[in-house]
Amino acid sequence: MPEHKITLEHEFLASPEQVFDYFADHEKFGRLWPAKIRRIKTGESEPNGIGSVREIRVGPVRLEETIVSFRRPELLEYRVTRGGPLKNHLGHIEFHRSDSGGTRIFYTIEYDGRFPLVGGLIGKQLRRDWTQGVSRVEQELAPLASS
């Protein structure tokens, strides 16, 4: 069992289908985080689906994440498969229709640090970045929610 687990939640006004499509798009997903993200391998049945790989660059750090679960519009999961300061990393994102008709996101990130103290520091940074990134994504999804 991984040493660290972060749980993030947020409610968007847009539908689960719209929010899922946004999060499934590797380049758009990158707007949540202060990183450069691009797809480097196309998925088996969809460009950003199972088997697709995205490259993430944060300063000098480079890592790759591979999509391991893709169930539209309910679930996305990815693993870090190369690089970075983490190991045993799994990102799990669930999309649920909220009572208001929008989407409630439940996002967990589990991982171990490759070096002492790294895991805790990265956890704090991920929470801070999530708060800022979600605000940007809300602005981009707002026009979809009203349509």
Side-chain angles (χ1 to χ4, degrees):
M1 180 146 189
E3 180 181 359
H4 299 279
K5 181 176 182 177
I6 298 169
T7 302
L8 307 166
E9 294 183 33
H10 191 76
E11 186 165 339
F12 293 96
L13 296 176
S15 73
E17 294 79 12
Q18 293 165 324
V19 178
F20 181 94
D21 286 346
Y22 189 97
F23 275 63
D25 182 301
H26 294 322
E27 284 76 22
K28 287 181 181 175
F29 183 73
R31 296 178 189 149
L32 276 167
W33 310 105
K36 294 182 181 181
I37 299 179
R38 67 184 180 100
R39 185 178 65 232
I40 59 173
K41 181 181 176 194
T42 300
E44 297 165 10
S45 60
E46 296 196 35
N48 296 314
I50 290 177
S52 68
V53 178
R54 58 184 170 221
E55 175 190 69
I56 299 173
R57 291 185 179 264
V58 180
V61 177
R62 179 188 175 278
L63 59 108
E64 293 178 8
E65 294 178 342
T66 301
I67 301 299
V68 295
S69 294
F70 187 90
R71 198 167 63 232
R72 185 182 304 277
E74 302 156 350
L75 174 69
L76 283 172
E77 285 185 321
Y78 61 88
R79 288 195 175 281
V80 171
T81 49
R82 178 176 287 164
L86 305 177
K87 60 184 180 178
N88 304 321
H89 178 285
L90 175 68
H92 176 95
I93 310 169
E94 294 181 19
F95 304 81
H96 298 275
R97 187 169 305 278
S98 65
D99 292 339
S100 65
T103 305
R104 188 103 187 131
I105 297 275
F106 297 92
Y107 187 175
T108 58
I109 304 170
E110 297 180 320
Y111 61 92
D112 293 317
R114 288 195 186 277
F115 313 103
L117 305 176
V118 168
L121 293 172
I122 288 176
K124 288 178 184 178
Q125 187 65 46
L126 285 171
R127 287 180 194 283
R128 193 169 26 249
D129 293 343
W130 168 258
T131 301
Q132 294 171 356
V134 144
S135 177
R136 285 189 297 272
V137 172
E138 276 183 333
Q139 292 173 0
E140 291 185 38
L141 286 171
L144 296 175
S146 60
S147 60

